[in-house]
Amino acid sequence: MSTIVRMVNLACETARREGGGRLRSLSIRVGAMTGILPYYLEKYFPEASKGTPAEGAVLKITEVPVTVSCMDCGTVYEPEKTPGRRCPRCGSIRGRVQTGRELMLDQIELEEVPQETGKDL
C-alpha cells in the first residue's frame, strides 16, 4: 500500500506543478526484481487515490523483465530462473543486471484545464 500511495502523491505533486487539474492516467514501470507485485498496486490504487486529483484515473502498469549484459561477450539476455544462469552465447556466469530493478512513475496524463481568455464580456 505504501508504494502506491507514494506513486499517487508523486503524480499529484507533478500535476500541481504543471498547472493542476485531475489526472486521467498514471503509468508505472515495475521491474521483476523489485518484489512488488502489480496485482497489489492495482488492488490498492482506488483507496490510495481517494480524495486526490488521481481519483478515478486509470492505472497503467508495465512490468519490466530482468535483462543481463554478459561481462565477457556483451550479449544482453533474459536469464533463466534457475541456479547457474549462464550467458546463452558464451556460457559465462559473469553478468551485470541491466533492467528489472525499476520502480518509477513513468508518465501521467492530465485532464485539460480550461484556459481563461482574458476577455471581458
Side-chain angles (χ1 to χ4, degrees):
M1 178 75 168
S2 64
T3 299
I4 194 62
V5 168
R6 284 194 310 266
M7 292 291 177
V8 167
N9 289 340
L10 180 59
C12 292
E13 181 183 309
T14 302
R16 279 190 291 275
R17 281 197 316 262
E18 295 297 321
R22 300 196 59 75
L23 287 115
R24 282 191 187 160
S25 67
L26 290 80
S27 297
I28 297 174
R29 295 176 55 84
V30 180
M33 292 179 69
T34 63
I36 295 171
L37 301 175
Y39 167 81
Y40 290 107
L41 297 176
E42 291 169 348
K43 179 179 178 178
Y44 294 118
F45 177 69
E47 184 64 29
S49 62
K50 193 179 226 174
T52 73
E55 185 172 7
V58 174
L59 178 63
K60 300 174 185 177
I61 300 173
T62 301
E63 294 182 61
V64 182
V66 176
T67 59
V68 173
S69 175
C70 177
M71 294 174 68
D72 291 324
C73 73
T75 299
V76 176
Y77 61 97
E78 289 185 37
E80 297 292 324
K81 295 181 180 179
T82 57
R85 299 170 212 151
R86 296 187 174 274
C87 172
R89 183 169 177 213
C90 72
S92 174
I93 60 170
R94 294 178 359 108
R96 181 174 291 130
V97 174
Q98 297 296 305
T99 64
R101 293 181 176 147
E102 298 87 342
L103 177 59
M104 61 188 291
L105 178 63
D106 193 36
Q107 184 177 9
I108 63 171
E109 182 181 354
L110 300 172
E111 290 181 359
E112 279 193 40
V113 178
Q115 299 293 320
E116 294 184 25
T117 60
K119 295 180 183 178
D120 289 329
L121 299 177

